[in-house]
Amino acid sequence: MASKRVSTKSRPAHQPVSVVTGGAGFLGSHLVDLLLSKGHRIVIIDNLITGSTDNIAHLAGHPDVRFIKQDVTEFIYLPGEVNYVWHFASPASPIDYLELPIQTLKVGSLGTHKALGLAKAKNARFLLTSTSEIYGDPLVHPQREDYWGNVNTIGPRGCYDESKRFAEALVMAYHREHAVATRIVRIFNTYGPRMRVNDGRVVPAFISQALANRPITVFGDGRQTRSFCYVSDLIEGIYRLMMSSGKEAHLPTNIGNPHELTMLEFATAIIAATASKSRLVHKPLPQDDPKQRRPDISRAKKNLSWTPQVTLSDGLKDTIAYFRGKVAKP
Ligand code: UDP
C-alpha cells in the first residue's frame, strides 16, 4: 500500500493514529474501513498467513493508510505517535489453527506481548480481540463474562483457546502493572463479506456448497448451536468498547448476536436464502466441537448501549452476494 502523506483540509486538527494488527484479515479490514470513516490515520500490520491484501486492495494509495507486512511476534518498531492499538492478528478458523497451531500460540502470546509493549511505549489505548472459544464447550448457557469456561488444554482447539486465555491474562497484567488502558472483547461467531471461501468455517462452507448445489456438510447430528453476528454490528460494538471509559471498560465484554440456531436450522436457512438444490450430508463431528454457544450481551448493552441491528436474513443477503462472485458454478 503506498502511503504518501497529502494534506487534506477536512482532516481534524488532531488526527488519531491507530495500529491494527491483522488489518488485512476478515475482521481487521472491516475495522480499518470504520476507522477511516472516523478520520483515523492507520498502520496495518499483517503477515498475510490467513489475511489477504485483497481485503485492503480498495485502500491502495490511500493517504491515511500504511501497510507493513510483518509478523507481530517480532518487535514492532514504529516512529511517531500512536493513540490506539487494535490487536486483531490471529488465525481464527478451526481449520486454520489446526494447520497453524504454533503460529496461533505465538501470536496470542508473543504477538500480544509485542502489541502491548507498543501500546505501553506510546501511551496508547489497547484492545485485544479475544473469543467465545475461551469458554470452551460451555457448561453454562448463555455465556456470561464471569463464566470461567470448560477448555481441553491439550485437544485440537487448545492452541487457540489457550493462546487467547493467556492473552487475556497478559492484557490484565499490563493493565494492573503498567496502568495501560486496555480493553478485551470476546468475539462470538461472526459472518459477512471477506470471509475466505475455503476457511472451513460453517458460513463460507454452507454458502459455497449451496451456491454450487453441492451437498451441505453438517457435522455430527447438526443439533449443536451457534449464534451469528453480522460483521458491521460486531465492528461497531468493538469500536464502542475501545472508546468507552466507564469503570468496567477494562473488563472482558462479549460482543455477538444472541440469536441462536442449530446447524441444521442454519443449513436450512442457507438453502432457502440461496434457492439451492443442495441436500444435507452428515460428517463426523470434530473433536471438542462446542455443543452450544450464545452470548449473554447484558454488559455490552449496559456499558456501550450496543445491540446487534442486522437480522440474519439481511446479513445473509450481503454475504451470499459476496460469495456469489467467488464460487464457480459446476
Ligand atoms: N460445521 C458444520 N459443517 C461445516 C463446518 C462447520 O456442520 O462444513 C459446524 C461445526 O461443527 C460447528 C459449527 O458448524 O459446530 C460452527 O463451526 P465453525 O467452524 O464455523 O466455527 P466454531 O464456532 O466451531 O469455532
Side-chain angles (χ1 to χ4, degrees):
M1 310 285 314
S3 54
K4 62 180 181 324
R5 303 278 298 115
V6 294
S7 65
T8 308
K9 278 194 186 129
S10 59
R11 287 219 185 93
H14 178 262
Q15 193 180 14
V17 180
S18 276
V19 172
V20 183
T21 77
F26 163 46
L27 298 181
S29 65
H30 282 284
L31 173 71
V32 168
D33 289 342
L34 181 77
L35 294 176
L36 283 173
S37 76
K38 307 274 185 193
H40 288 224
R41 192 148 58 81
I42 296 161
V43 180
I44 297 171
I45 307 179
D46 201 305
N47 67 357
L48 302 177
I49 60 168
T50 57
S52 166
T53 51
D54 289 354
N55 293 332
I56 49 172
H58 60 291
L59 305 175
H62 194 296
D64 290 330
V65 180
R66 182 177 164 207
F67 174 69
I68 300 174
K69 184 172 181 294
Q70 191 194 311
D71 186 331
V72 292
T73 65
E74 308 289 341
F75 185 84
I76 302 169
Y77 173 75
L78 280 180
E81 186 185 10
V82 175
N83 306 111
Y84 302 99
V85 176
W86 311 75
H87 185 36
F88 276 54
S90 180
S93 118
I95 284 196
D96 287 341
Y97 54 72
L98 283 179
E99 274 174 14
L100 304 164
I102 296 172
Q103 279 101 324
T104 303
L105 282 156
K106 281 177 73 181
V107 75
S109 54
L110 306 178
T112 303
H113 184 227
K114 295 292 178 291
L116 278 163
L118 176 71
K120 175 171 165 265
K122 302 289 186 182
N123 201 16
R125 210 174 261 194
F126 177 92
L127 182 140
L128 170 72
T129 50
S130 185
T131 167
S132 55
E133 277 287 323
I134 68 110
Y135 301 121
D137 190 5
L139 304 176
V140 167
H141 193 71
Q143 292 76 54
R144 285 164 45 108
E145 291 89 347
D146 55 10
Y147 175 50
W148 292 352
N150 178 39
V151 170
N152 176 4
T153 57
I154 59 166
R157 301 170 84 105
C159 59
Y160 185 59
D161 304 10
E162 292 303 329
S163 82
K164 293 292 190 180
R165 290 169 70 95
F166 176 89
E168 289 197 6
L170 194 60
V171 168
M172 289 310 294
Y174 268 68
H175 177 72
R176 295 190 179 111
E177 187 75 16
H178 296 308
V180 176
T182 56
R183 308 285 181 263
I184 297 172
V185 58
R186 291 187 181 149
I187 298 175
F188 283 67
N189 293 65
T190 304
Y191 69 103
R194 301 187 194 156
M195 293 188 97
R196 283 197 341 266
V197 174
N198 59 352
D199 88 352
R201 279 186 279 200
V202 70
V203 174
F206 282 7
I207 294 179
S208 56
Q209 290 161 350
L211 288 176
N213 293 309
R214 283 188 283 114
I216 297 207
T217 54
V218 175
F219 294 166
D221 63 10
R223 283 191 294 185
Q224 69 274 30
T225 67
R226 295 294 186 274
S227 310
F228 297 99
C229 186
Y230 190 63
V231 63
S232 60
D233 279 335
L234 181 97
I235 296 298
E236 175 64 26
I238 291 178
Y239 178 81
R240 288 190 194 192
L241 177 63
M242 179 67 116
M243 298 304 159
S244 71
S245 52
K247 62 180 188 318
E248 292 189 345
H250 64 289
L251 296 178
T253 303
N254 290 338
I255 298 284
N257 191 318
H259 179 194
E260 184 181 4
L261 294 165
T262 67
M263 291 310 97
L264 282 175
E265 289 167 337
F266 189 56
T268 309
I270 299 280
I271 289 175
T274 50
S276 172
K277 297 190 195 72
S278 293
R279 59 191 176 86
L280 306 185
V281 291
H282 289 268
K283 300 265 177 179
L285 189 68
Q287 190 192 332
D288 297 338
D289 197 285
K291 285 183 269 311
Q292 52 183 359
R293 185 181 285 160
R294 168 157 59 104
D296 180 314
I297 57 168
S298 317
R299 180 173 286 168
K301 273 187 186 158
K302 175 166 74 86
N303 295 339
L304 312 176
S305 306
W306 176 87
T307 49
Q309 303 295 313
V310 181
T311 61
L312 186 67
S313 72
D314 283 348
L316 282 181
K317 259 185 223 140
D318 285 358
T319 311
I320 289 165
Y322 174 80
F323 280 110
R324 250 183 231 288
K326 304 261 167 200
V327 178
K329 294 217 160 152

